Amino acid sequence: MGFQDTPEEWQVTATETPFTGNKTSVRTDEVVMPDGTAVRRDYQVHPGSVAVLALDEEGRVVVLRQYRHPVRHKLWEIPAGLLDIPGENPLHAAQRELYEEAYVKAEDWRVLTDVYTTPGGCDEAVRIFLARNLSEADGERFAVSEEEADMELARVPLQELVRGVLAGDLHNNCLVVGVLSLATVLAGDGIESLRPAEAPWPARPFEA
């Protein structure tokens, strides 16, 4: 089995939802600790997300720059979005996000990595895909609004992004995890060692 995370669920004696938003909510659980005491834990309930590290033939990554109000920054990110439909196939969602945000399609898809973004306070799970063999998408461009109307698109060499991450200049979770994961794969076992795009995802089960 190797060195790995394992599922476990401690007893919850009470639960409530003090806030419900448009896409997420806040839940408060009373959780029984190993010594028998019960403590309250507040956390954000999240539908899950997908992100796409799209790599072109010149070794450049498709990135976008978007304003993120909670941190008061414009962040360079990789295309990403919510799993809006319960049980949605994450590959289909990733393909949609790559089209909507970058107007790009890809022929080769692999699972790069799966992460919990902030497990101490949110149950969000993200699957990050590697997409290759890129080309311009067909059809009309997706209509953007709000923060997305101000997005900038660029293609940046992978190693330049790695340097930016290590220098503390780039902070988006999915970009950081994605570029460091891909750099590790390229320096190690190679892209063929990655899981297929339809690999199981216990954190967010789906139908193929």
Side-chain angles (χ1 to χ4, degrees):
M1 296 293 290
F3 190 70
Q4 64 185 37
D5 299 330
T6 55
E8 185 167 347
E9 188 169 353
W10 292 2
Q11 182 184 3
V12 175
T13 58
T15 186
E16 59 184 83
T17 304
F19 171 79
T20 300
N22 185 31
K23 297 292 186 181
T24 66
S25 61
V26 173
R27 181 176 297 162
T28 300
D29 290 342
E30 285 198 5
V31 186
V32 179
M33 298 289 106
D35 65 0
T37 60
V39 299
R40 292 169 66 88
R41 291 290 179 260
D42 304 316
Y43 59 99
Q44 182 184 25
V45 178
H46 194 286
S49 307
V50 292
V52 185
L53 195 151
L55 186 70
D56 69 15
E57 295 181 355
E58 298 178 35
R60 300 176 303 174
V61 177
V62 176
V63 293
L64 51 92
R65 190 169 180 243
Q66 185 172 346
Y67 176 66
R68 294 301 188 182
H69 186 69
V71 296
R72 308 306 200 268
H73 270 70
K74 273 191 171 182
L75 300 179
W76 285 105
E77 307 179 351
I78 56 177
L82 297 175
L83 290 168
D84 294 312
I85 305 169
E88 182 178 15
N89 187 308
L91 174 60
H92 299 165
Q95 291 169 333
R96 179 186 69 237
E97 294 299 331
L98 186 60
Y99 163 71
E100 291 181 356
E101 295 193 346
Y103 200 64
V104 167
K105 62 181 179 180
E107 298 300 322
D108 184 76
W109 290 82
R110 314 288 174 99
V111 173
L112 187 54
T113 190
D114 299 324
V115 295
Y116 291 115
T117 56
T118 49
C122 179
D123 71 352
E124 181 184 14
V126 180
R127 169 157 283 187
I128 304 176
F129 289 91
L130 172 65
R132 298 187 301 159
N133 298 344
L134 308 183
S135 60
E136 186 172 336
D138 303 318
E140 295 183 4
R141 289 183 177 272
F142 182 75
V144 296
S145 61
E146 300 173 352
E147 289 93 342
E148 292 183 349
D150 189 52
M151 284 195 312
E152 305 170 48
L153 282 171
R155 295 195 181 196
V156 181
L158 175 64
Q159 289 306 315
E160 184 174 337
L161 294 174
V162 171
R163 286 191 291 270
V165 169
L166 298 178
D169 295 331
L170 300 171
H171 307 91
N172 174 264
N173 182 286
C174 291
L175 183 145
V176 170
V177 173
V179 301
L180 294 183
S181 295
L182 180 57
T184 301
V185 167
L186 294 175
D189 295 334
I191 289 174
E192 295 302 319
S193 68
L194 293 173
R195 288 171 290 162
E198 297 278 7
W201 189 17
R204 292 294 185 273
F206 63 93
E207 295 184 6

